[in-house]
Amino acid sequence: MQTFRADNLTSIYGEKTLFKDISFIINEGDRIGLIGTNGSGKTSLLNVIAGVTHADSGEITKPNNYTIGYLEQKPVLDHEKTVMDAIFAGNQRIFHTIRLYEEALNNYSQHPEDSQAIDRFTKMQSTMDQEDLWEAESQVKTILTQLKITDLEQQVGQLSGGQQKRVGLAQILIQYPDLLMLDEPTNQLDIPSIVWLQDFLASYKGAVLVVTHDRYFLDQVTNHIWELSFGELYHYDGNYQDFVRQKAERVELAEESERKRQSLYKRELAWMRHGAKARSTKQKGRINRFNDLKNSIGKLQEDQDVEINLGSQRLGKDVIKMEHASLNFGDRTILKDFDWLVQPGDRIGISGANGAGKSTLLNVIAGKQPLDGGTIKIGETVKLGYYTQQTEPIDKDKRVINYLSEVAESVKNANGERVSVTNLLEEFLFPRFMHGTLIRKLSGGEQRRLYLLKILMQQPNVLLLDEPTNDLDISTLTVLENYLDDFDGTVITVSHDRYFLDRVADQLLIFKGAGQIQPYTGNFTDYLAAQQSAGGSQNQKPAKAAKKKPTKQESDKDQPKQKTKLTYAEKLEWDQIDDDLDQLDQQSKQIQDEMNASGDDYEKLAKLQKQLNDVQKQIDQKTARWEYLSNYVD
């Protein structure tokens, strides 16, 4: 069994100790999720394990032939090369071997009589056989297809940051290293690609170490959780749900131990004050133990929850109304005759295919992208807060507290009380010693947390969140979810994170591409289940290898009887279902016509929108039933 071992690793960055004297073992088959607040040192630990950087002290032990594949947050790829060439230009052993084979083949082709060329070519053929690399190109293409990269001749420099991340992921997966390390692999992946990656890792023979904020992904993939907190590395067996329970137990025990130390300290302090004399060896020992105890109390450190208790401005009845909206980028259709009414208190999740226009819709609402046709009306009382995928341009030499002071020196919380910028920073896990820190010294996740705080300080009543789970740590996401539960305004969020969408959205817009946008009433898990029952599952697993077809006698003897036709009741249902769908479509059209004729009567529009959502839900359910019954019609 291939094993990676680390003993007493310590790494310090400036004045901050990222981890101190941590030890661990990674065995074959381990599926480890590494979590911790932004800035706690997760990426730094991955860099040390991968050999990108070195710890200040400690020892790493691994077999000489041990291989590590590391997907960094920003993969290093040659922007001048095509997708396939960039992947095979990697410096890992597999790509080195393939390049040596191609050189040997080229040399042999030019000098077929040269004994050295023949010998070199023969040896490289043997190496390719031993490492089973003949299907590498085909496997890369398969992986890229699953990750939605189809134009393999496109230059890497022409790809978006998310597409480059997927190319980097394909380059790592094809190596099949002993240890596969993935830093935020689900960022920029849509749901089908995430599910495919889950299945890939489930059958992976080596070890996996992953940093991610996707809690569903952690639940599906991991059998161990490591938590990096205040320089300590805590180990938990099981997946994310197991971690939550075990951490609560650990914190409770730690707090109980601290209470006992405090109580003992008070008793010993009373003894010291009553004239303890260090004459006897026994008394000297007690005084020494008191001094040790005095130095140990008050040292308990636990990650705190980010507190978000900011107020918001009043929101009137008019929020967002779009009519016959259309938008195209070149030959790509984003919106096509799109009507949409957003009401106070709505919780809307937007998901679907990458590149279909989800972020563009938020840009339209924010006034950053004009429509080609149609109208959009934003209510007069609306105050937008837009958390974009890319943090706004910031002077990185600006200090943390100055960045926020540009908004205000203090703001009102939900209780109407004034809260200073200093206190807000502490609530957002920026201790006082960091308030004067230059922003460029913050980790990427810390900068995103600071950016979120600035947006919330502006006290918006309509929040636009574009992929917030990409950069915020789990602790911040959990409290953001709780904050949105009590938020009086409207929330519209773009995300592929199933857990986050389930928590914050009860209405969905699913972007399918080419201007097709499917509304859905319900949470994201319900939507996926509806898709699966309709035969269009986004959770469908790859087909298993085909088995030998049984004979008719074997099939009759060993197999349960398969459904081949409709029951009498199902035939009656089938005869009626087209009429039912026609009626529902007519209801939908009538409601939409009535909405178009209602002008600015927002109370009436709100009632009609609810009716339209109910009818659409019936259409989705009836369509799923139609597709099922159609499989058994003669």
Side-chain angles (χ1 to χ4, degrees):
M1 177 182 290
Q2 296 282 62
T3 299
F4 181 100
R5 182 186 183 96
D7 294 293
N8 303 315
L9 294 183
T10 296
S11 185
I12 299 172
Y13 178 71
E15 299 178 355
K16 187 175 184 180
T17 299
L18 299 176
F19 41 89
K20 183 178 181 180
D21 293 332
I22 64 171
S23 299
F24 53 86
I25 295 175
I26 303 175
N27 292 312
E28 185 178 312
D30 282 350
R31 301 288 186 271
I32 302 164
L34 176 60
I35 65 176
T37 58
N38 290 331
S40 61
K42 301 185 296 295
T43 297
S44 296
L45 179 56
L46 295 187
N47 286 337
V48 169
I49 294 173
V52 175
T53 59
H54 297 286
D56 294 301
S57 63
E59 184 179 0
I60 287 177
T61 308
K62 63 182 186 295
N64 290 332
N65 62 345
Y66 195 84
T67 56
I68 297 175
Y70 181 22
L71 175 69
E72 301 180 64
Q73 287 193 25
K74 293 184 178 180
V76 179
L77 299 166
D78 189 334
H79 286 205
E80 301 300 319
K81 293 184 179 296
T82 65
V83 169
M84 289 296 287
D85 287 343
I87 289 176
F88 282 96
N91 57 12
Q92 293 80 8
R93 185 181 66 190
I94 172 177
F95 305 121
H96 181 65
T97 301
I98 291 172
R99 287 196 296 272
L100 289 178
Y101 168 75
E102 289 175 345
E103 290 173 6
L105 174 61
N106 183 55
N107 191 33
Y108 170 65
S109 300
Q110 294 181 6
H111 309 284
E113 306 298 329
D114 188 322
S115 60
Q116 288 186 341
I118 295 172
D119 183 56
R120 179 63 176 162
F121 174 65
T122 303
K123 287 181 178 178
M124 289 311 305
Q125 270 191 320
S126 177
T127 302
M128 291 285 288
D129 288 336
Q130 291 171 8
E131 299 186 18
D132 195 20
L133 299 182
W134 296 109
E135 300 298 322
E137 183 174 351
S138 174
Q139 291 170 355
V140 167
K141 289 180 179 178
T142 299
I143 292 173
L144 287 170
T145 299
Q146 294 290 348
L147 297 176
K148 308 299 171 60
I149 300 292
T150 54
D151 186 355
L152 307 185
E153 297 304 316
Q154 191 173 8
Q155 283 189 333
V156 170
Q158 297 173 344
L159 302 177
S160 68
Q163 289 172 319
Q164 290 182 27
K165 181 74 175 277
R166 282 177 267 155
V167 171
L169 178 56
Q171 186 184 64
I172 298 302
L173 295 183
I174 191 61
Q175 299 171 36
Y176 289 93
D178 297 306
L179 173 59
L180 182 62
M181 297 201 307
L182 307 174
D183 197 354
E184 298 293 357
T186 62
N187 286 4
Q188 310 295 339
L189 295 187
D190 59 16
I191 298 300
S193 296
I194 292 173
V195 174
W196 173 83
L197 181 58
Q198 287 175 184
D199 294 334
F200 181 94
L201 296 179
S203 59
Y204 193 76
K205 293 182 180 180
V208 177
L209 175 57
V210 59
V211 172
T212 182
H213 303 140
D214 187 327
R215 286 154 285 184
Y216 277 160
F217 188 81
L218 285 171
D219 269 340
Q220 294 297 318
V221 169
T222 61
N223 54 24
H224 300 282
I225 298 289
W226 290 356
E227 181 192 19
L228 194 55
S229 174
F230 295 104
E232 300 284 342
L233 187 66
Y234 298 96
H235 302 247
Y236 306 87
D237 290 331
N239 61 11
Y240 180 74
Q241 291 187 45
D242 297 319
F243 153 76
V244 172
R245 173 180 53 80
Q246 292 176 47
K247 180 179 179 178
E249 294 171 354
R250 177 182 70 78
V251 171
E252 186 177 353
L253 286 173
E255 290 174 345
E256 178 63 25
S257 297
E258 176 68 11
R259 284 193 294 269
K260 289 179 179 179
R261 284 195 297 271
Q262 293 277 3
S263 177
L264 178 59
Y265 174 72
K266 290 178 182 178
R267 293 200 302 270
E268 294 298 292
L269 181 60
W271 177 79
M272 292 288 291
R273 284 175 174 171
H274 280 83
K277 297 179 181 179
R279 291 179 178 174
S280 69
T281 302
K282 186 175 182 180
Q283 287 175 319
K284 286 182 180 179
R286 186 168 181 177
I287 292 172
N288 290 336
R289 286 194 299 274
F290 168 79
N291 289 328
D292 291 340
L293 183 62
K294 181 180 179 180
N295 292 329
S296 70
I297 63 171
K299 297 293 181 68
L300 177 65
Q301 290 182 301
E302 290 296 338
D303 290 314
Q304 302 172 11
D305 284 336
V306 179
E307 295 184 14
I308 307 179
N309 189 32
L310 298 175
S312 61
Q313 300 188 19
R314 186 190 70 82
L315 180 62
K317 293 180 180 179
D318 301 351
V319 183
I320 301 167
K321 183 180 181 182
M322 299 180 73
E323 292 183 307
H324 306 296
S326 63
L327 179 62
N328 297 280
F329 287 150
D331 58 355
R332 187 159 60 97
T333 300
I334 303 299
L335 301 175
K336 182 179 181 182
D337 197 26
F338 180 58
D339 294 328
W340 191 32
L341 178 66
V342 180
Q343 303 171 70
D346 275 355
R347 297 293 189 269
I348 301 168
I350 302 175
S351 195
N354 286 321
K358 302 182 296 296
S359 298
T360 303
L361 178 59
L362 298 191
N363 286 334
V364 169
I365 297 170
K368 295 184 176 184
Q369 172 64 53
L371 294 170
D372 293 334
T375 61
I376 177 170
K377 181 179 179 181
I378 306 295
E380 291 183 1
T381 62
V382 167
K383 183 172 183 182
L384 287 173
Y386 188 8
Y387 181 86
T388 56
Q389 280 198 50
Q390 302 297 324
T391 305
E392 66 181 6
I394 302 175
D395 180 357
K396 296 299 177 69
D397 288 323
K398 187 174 291 184
R399 301 192 184 277
V400 168
I401 195 165
N402 294 338
Y403 174 66
L404 294 184
S405 296
E406 293 174 353
V407 178
E409 294 293 336
S410 65
V411 296
K412 285 185 178 180
N413 65 16
N415 301 321
E417 302 165 338
R418 302 300 301 187
V419 182
S420 69
V421 169
T422 299
N423 288 337
L424 282 173
L425 282 168
E426 290 185 339
E427 289 179 354
F428 262 61
L429 301 185
F430 292 102
R432 285 183 183 265
F433 76 85
M434 292 183 66
H435 295 184
T437 300
L438 299 176
I439 290 176
R440 60 180 165 81
K441 292 187 176 181
L442 301 180
S443 71
E446 287 173 323
Q447 291 184 30
R448 294 292 283 172
R449 194 195 311 150
L450 186 67
Y451 176 49
L452 174 63
L453 176 55
K454 181 177 181 180
I455 291 169
L456 297 182
M457 278 182 64
Q458 297 166 16
Q459 301 187 306
N461 50 30
V462 175
L463 267 176
L464 308 180
L465 304 173
D466 196 357
E467 298 287 6
T469 63
N470 279 2
D471 302 288
L472 298 178
D473 56 65
I474 290 174
S475 175
T476 306
L477 287 173
T478 300
V479 181
L480 175 59
E481 290 159 0
N482 294 335
Y483 167 78
L484 295 179
D485 286 341
D486 299 323
F487 181 64
D488 290 332
T490 294
V491 181
I492 304 172
T493 183
V494 171
S495 181
H496 291 123
D497 188 307
R498 295 157 290 178
Y499 191 102
F500 186 75
L501 283 175
D502 278 351
R503 282 284 281 110
V504 306
D506 53 22
Q507 300 177 46
L508 301 174
L509 291 180
I510 307 299
F511 278 63
K512 296 178 175 291
Q516 298 182 54
I517 303 174
Q518 177 189 352
Y520 183 85
T521 302
N523 66 26
F524 199 61
T525 296
D526 291 340
Y527 167 75
L528 294 176
Q531 290 295 102
Q532 187 170 20
S533 67
S537 170
Q538 295 190 43
N539 268 334
Q540 191 171 9
K541 295 184 178 181
K544 296 182 179 179
K547 297 181 180 179
K548 179 182 176 182
K549 183 177 179 180
T551 64
K552 186 176 186 305
Q553 289 135 338
E554 289 172 332
S555 180
D556 291 341
K557 179 180 178 182
D558 297 327
Q559 302 296 324
K561 189 173 181 179
Q562 301 293 315
K563 181 181 178 70
T564 58
K565 61 182 180 179
L566 299 176
T567 64
Y568 178 76
E570 287 173 337
K571 286 181 180 178
L572 295 178
E573 182 183 2
W574 174 254
D575 291 339
Q576 181 63 32
I577 200 165
D578 283 330
D579 291 338
D580 293 343
L581 280 168
D582 287 341
Q583 290 178 14
L584 288 169
D585 286 335
Q586 289 174 17
Q587 287 182 41
S588 176
K589 186 176 185 304
Q590 289 171 1
I591 294 171
Q592 291 180 54
D593 290 341
E594 193 172 353
M595 290 176 72
N596 292 332
S598 296
D600 293 331
D601 187 349
Y602 282 88
E603 288 187 3
K604 185 176 181 180
L605 283 170
K607 293 178 182 178
L608 291 171
Q609 181 67 54
K610 186 177 185 304
Q611 293 176 24
L612 183 62
N613 290 341
D614 292 338
V615 170
Q616 185 60 51
K617 189 172 184 179
Q618 293 179 57
I619 291 174
D620 290 339
Q621 293 170 345
K622 190 71 72 173
T623 301
R625 187 64 179 164
W626 185 96
E627 291 184 7
Y628 169 79
L629 295 174
S630 67
N631 292 320
Y632 307 103
V633 176
D634 294 334

